[in-house]
Amino acid sequence: MSTAILTGPPVAGSSLEADLRSLGFDVRTADDPASAADLIAAVPAQERVAVVDPRFVGHPHALRLALTDPRFPAAAVPGALTAQPEARPALVRAAAAIPVGAGTAHLTDVLTETLTDSLDRDGVGLQRIELGSLVATVALTPAQRADARDAVAAVDDEAVRLRTAVKSRDGFFTTFCISPYSRYLARWCARRGLTPNQVTTASLLTAVIAAGCAATGSRGGFIAAGVLLLFSFVLDCTDGQLARYSLQYSTMGAWLDATFDRAKEYAYYAGLALGAARGGDDVWALALGAMILQTCRHVVDFSFNEANHDANANTSPTAALSDRLDSVGWTVWVRRMIVLPIGERWAMIAVLTAFTTPRIVFYALLIGCALAACYTTAGRVLRSLTRRARRTDRAARALADLADSGPLAELCAGGARGRGRGRASSFLAPVMAFLSTAVLLVWVLFQDHPASWPTVGVAACSALLAGAAVARPLKGVLDWLVPPLFRIGEYTTILVLAARSDAPGALPAAFGLVAAVAYHHYDTVYRIRGGSGAPPRWLVRAAGGHEGRILVVTVLAALLSPSGFTIALTALAVVLALLVLIESIRFWVSSGAPAVHDEGEPA
C-alpha cells in the first residue's frame, strides 16, 4: 500500500479519493506544508508517497501515469506528484522549506506545483508526464471545475489507455496484423490479475511446444508449429502491451522479454533442424548460420546505439535524409519491413514452416537477414562517417564491455597501449578487429584440414590483433564495429570447425555452444541498457573472453578425434551455459536497477 496526501480538505462531489484508493493508495489529509512534511516522513521508507491537490480534476489514467509508473524516481502532472523512496528526502526538504504566513499564498495555494518545481530543481529525476489528450488540472473555481469535467467527458479514458498500450514504432505486420486485437487481450489479462512476466513465460512455453512440433518432422507437426509460433508472437506483443496498459514495468520484465525472444527463436531453429533430420536432411549448419547471422545483426544494433547513446553534436546528412524519408508515409513501412523485424521474420518462418521444408525456411531466413544486415550496417556506417560527434567515456566503456575481451586480449592490449595516437588512429580499432577476424576465418575456411596445430597458431595471432583493437578507448567513428566483428569471428570459427569435423553430433553441439555464448552477450547488452553495467570481470575472465574461447576450441579440434571434439564441444557448452546462467539469474533476481521498458506513444 502506498500513501497519497491530499493538501487540503476533500472537495464535495469529487471522486478523487475513490480514484486514489483504486490505484492502491491509502489517503490522508494535510492542512499545510509542515504537516505534509510530517506525514511524508512518517510513511515507511520503502513506500511510495503521492501529494495531490484535492481540487484536481482529470482522467483516472492521468493519475495512474503520474502516480504509479515505477520507472521514475519522481513524476508529476498538474495537481499531482509522486516520489519513490530515493526521491522522498528531497520531497520532505521541499515541503519543510516552504514558508507560511503573510505573502506566501503564491507558494501554498497550489502546493503540488511548488513541490514539483522544487523537485525539478533538486535534480532527483523528476518526470513531467506527457498527457496528450488526457486531462489533468487544478480547478480553482466552480466554473473551472465545470469546464474541466466537460473536457474529461469529451475524451474516452479507456480508449486512450488501450491506444497507448501499443508502441508507436513497430513493424508493419505487428502494427496491422497483431496489435489491433492483442491490445484487447492485454486488457483481458490485466482484468484477471495476470502479470507481463506470466504472459512472457506463456509465450516462451508456446514457442517451445512449437519447436517440439517442428521436431516431429511430419507435415502436421510443421503446420502446428507454424500456428503455435504465430500465437507465441501474439503473446509476445501482449506482454509489452499489458505492461504499458497496467504500468507494470520492471527491470526483470524487460530482461525476460528480450532474452526469451532469442530463446524462442533459437529453440525453434533447433526444432526445425531436428525435424529435418527425421526426414533425412541435415540442416544443422544452416540453423547455426541463421542463429549467428541474427545474433550478429543484433550486436550491430546494440553497438551502434551504445556508441551514439550520448554523443555530442549528433549531426549527420544521412540521418537528415532518413528523417525526410520518414515524412513520406509509404517509405516508413517499406524501410521498416526491409530490416526484417521480429514480426515479419516470425510470420515468414511460420508460413514457410507450414507449407515448405526446413531447408527452404533457413534459405529464406539467411537471404532475408543478410540483405537486412547489409542495408542497416551500410546506413550506420554512412551515418558514422558523416556525423560530427565526440564520443563519451560512457560510450567507450559500453563498447569495451560489448567486445567481451578476456585475459589474453587484455594482456596483448597492455603491450599495444599508447601507440597510434595520430589522426589515422581513429580507424585503428575496427581495422585491427577486422584483421583479427579475417585472418582467422580465411585460414579455417580455406584449409583442407583446419583442425590442426597451425590453426591454433593463427588463433593466437588473431588474439594479438584483437588485443591491439581494444588497446585504446573505443571512441573512433567506426569503433562500434569492433564487437560485431569479434562475434562474427568467434561464432563462425566454431561453425566451420564443427562442420569440417564430419563427426555426427558436432554441429548440434556447436549450436549449443554458440547459444550459450550468445546468451552471455545478450545478457551483457541488457545489463548495460538497464543501467547496471556489464557482467563482473571475473565472469568474463572465467568464460575466457571471445579470444580465449576461440583458442580453446581450436586446441580441442587439433588435439581430439572428431568424436572426442564433439564431446568436448558439448561439455564446453554445458559448462559455459551453467556459468553464465547462474550468474545472470542471480543478478536479475537481486538487481536493484531501475525499471525499464519500451515506451508507447504519448497519450
Side-chain angles (χ1 to χ4, degrees):
M1 178 71 73
S2 301
T3 300
I5 299 169
L6 295 179
T7 58
V11 175
S14 172
S15 64
L16 180 59
E17 285 195 47
D19 290 338
L20 290 171
R21 290 194 174 94
S22 71
L23 297 177
F25 285 93
D26 177 29
V27 181
R28 303 180 188 178
T29 301
D31 296 325
D32 53 52
S35 59
D38 291 340
L39 285 175
I40 295 169
V43 174
Q46 72 276 11
E47 289 187 11
R48 173 194 293 267
V49 171
V51 180
V52 184
D53 193 299
R55 298 164 294 182
F56 174 89
V57 179
H59 288 97
H61 192 49
L63 279 177
R64 182 180 292 106
L65 289 169
L67 304 185
T68 67
D69 196 324
R71 294 172 297 173
F72 313 119
V77 293
L81 76 151
T82 186
Q84 295 207 64
E86 61 266 35
R88 279 181 48 189
L91 182 60
V92 172
R93 290 194 303 271
I98 296 176
V100 295
T104 63
H106 66 290
L107 296 175
T108 57
D109 187 33
V110 185
L111 183 59
T112 53
E113 297 308 299
T114 301
L115 294 174
T116 298
D117 291 340
S118 180
L119 289 180
D120 207 0
R121 290 192 300 270
D122 210 329
V124 298
L126 176 78
Q127 178 76 15
R128 294 182 184 268
I129 303 299
E130 295 182 41
L131 292 175
S133 58
L134 294 177
V135 175
T137 188
V138 177
L140 302 178
T141 66
Q144 290 177 352
R145 175 168 292 275
D147 291 342
R149 284 177 171 170
D150 289 342
V152 169
V155 176
D156 186 339
D157 178 275
E158 181 62 17
V160 171
R161 191 179 176 190
L162 274 173
R163 177 171 57 84
T164 54
V166 178
K167 285 194 293 187
S168 58
R169 183 179 177 85
D170 239 329
F172 180 90
F173 180 77
T174 304
T175 300
F176 294 103
C177 300
I178 304 295
S179 293
Y181 58 86
S182 62
R183 69 184 75 186
Y184 295 101
L185 179 58
R187 180 172 67 180
W188 183 89
C189 292
R191 290 177 175 177
R192 282 151 185 81
L194 297 176
T195 68
N197 289 354
Q198 290 171 333
V199 178
T200 301
T201 303
S203 176
L204 174 66
L205 293 175
T206 304
V208 170
I209 295 171
C213 291
T216 64
S218 65
R219 178 51 52 194
F222 287 146
I223 293 172
V227 173
L228 287 171
L229 186 66
L230 285 177
F231 182 59
S232 174
F233 183 65
V234 172
L235 293 176
D236 183 58
C237 295
T238 301
D239 63 3
Q241 292 165 0
L242 173 59
R244 284 181 286 273
Y245 181 84
S246 56
L247 300 182
Q248 296 182 72
Y249 300 110
S250 69
T251 301
M252 178 174 284
W255 169 70
L256 287 177
D257 185 44
T259 54
F260 279 13
D261 279 350
R262 307 288 76 76
K264 289 180 286 189
E265 188 166 0
Y266 299 160
Y268 193 80
Y269 293 175
L272 284 175
L274 289 169
R278 286 181 176 272
D281 190 11
D282 186 354
V283 297
W284 275 106
L286 296 177
L288 181 50
M291 181 167 69
I292 291 171
L293 181 55
Q294 189 57 37
T295 303
C296 290
R297 280 186 63 198
H298 286 141
V299 175
V300 169
D301 295 341
F302 300 146
S303 296
F304 179 80
N305 290 335
E306 288 301 325
N308 297 283
H309 177 76
D310 49 5
N312 301 316
N314 189 358
T315 58
S316 166
T318 308
L321 174 61
S322 178
D323 292 340
R324 286 197 296 273
L325 288 175
D326 279 346
S327 66
V328 182
W330 65 271
T331 65
V332 174
W333 298 114
V334 171
R335 293 172 70 228
R336 291 186 190 178
M337 293 172 70
I338 286 174
V339 300
L340 205 63
I342 187 170
E344 278 74 359
R345 192 167 67 251
W346 282 27
M348 180 185 74
I349 293 170
V351 171
L352 291 178
T353 298
F355 294 105
T356 64
T357 66
R359 181 172 289 273
I360 293 175
V361 173
F362 285 124
Y363 281 151
L365 193 59
L366 286 166
I367 293 170
C369 287
L371 292 174
C374 290
Y375 171 77
T376 55
T377 304
R380 285 165 180 171
V381 168
L382 286 174
R383 288 191 183 203
S384 299
L385 291 175
T386 57
R387 172 181 284 149
R388 296 186 301 275
R390 184 182 300 278
R391 270 67 183 187
T392 64
D393 291 337
R394 178 200 177 281
R397 180 69 261 166
L399 290 180
D401 291 333
L402 290 173
D404 192 33
S405 299
L408 185 55
E410 288 178 341
L411 182 63
C412 298
R417 194 163 283 124
R419 301 176 186 175
R421 299 278 181 181
R423 183 179 179 85
S425 67
S426 60
F427 296 101
L428 181 63
V431 168
M432 290 295 102
F434 173 79
L435 290 175
S436 172
T437 295
V439 164
L440 183 63
L441 292 187
V442 168
W443 178 269
V444 298
L445 284 169
F446 293 101
Q447 283 294 305
D448 291 334
H449 302 288
S452 62
W453 290 108
T455 302
V456 177
V458 173
C461 293
S462 174
L464 288 172
L465 293 169
V470 296
R472 298 174 61 247
L474 298 176
K475 294 185 177 181
V477 294
L478 293 179
D479 284 2
W480 56 269
L481 287 170
V482 170
L485 285 169
F486 286 164
R487 298 297 82 78
I488 293 170
E490 179 182 3
Y491 298 162
T492 308
T493 298
I494 296 172
L495 166 61
V496 173
L497 289 176
R500 299 285 292 277
S501 72
D502 293 326
L507 279 168
F511 188 96
L513 176 57
V514 172
V517 176
Y519 175 86
H520 167 58
H521 292 143
Y522 280 113
D523 185 52
T524 300
V525 166
Y526 290 105
R527 291 197 198 206
I528 294 172
R529 282 188 169 184
S532 303
R537 285 304 301 169
W538 71 260
L539 177 65
V540 176
R541 292 191 178 101
H546 69 93
E547 80 291 345
R549 289 187 295 270
I550 291 173
L551 200 57
V552 168
V553 170
T554 56
V555 168
L556 292 173
L559 187 63
L560 302 173
S561 65
S563 59
F565 182 55
T566 299
I567 295 171
L569 284 181
T570 303
L572 188 58
V574 171
V575 169
L576 279 174
L578 289 175
L579 179 67
V580 298
L581 274 171
I582 290 172
E583 160 56 22
S584 176
I585 293 170
R586 181 211 62 79
F587 170 79
W588 289 104
V589 168
S590 61
S591 174
V596 293
H597 209 282
D598 291 336
E599 294 185 34
E601 63 182 343

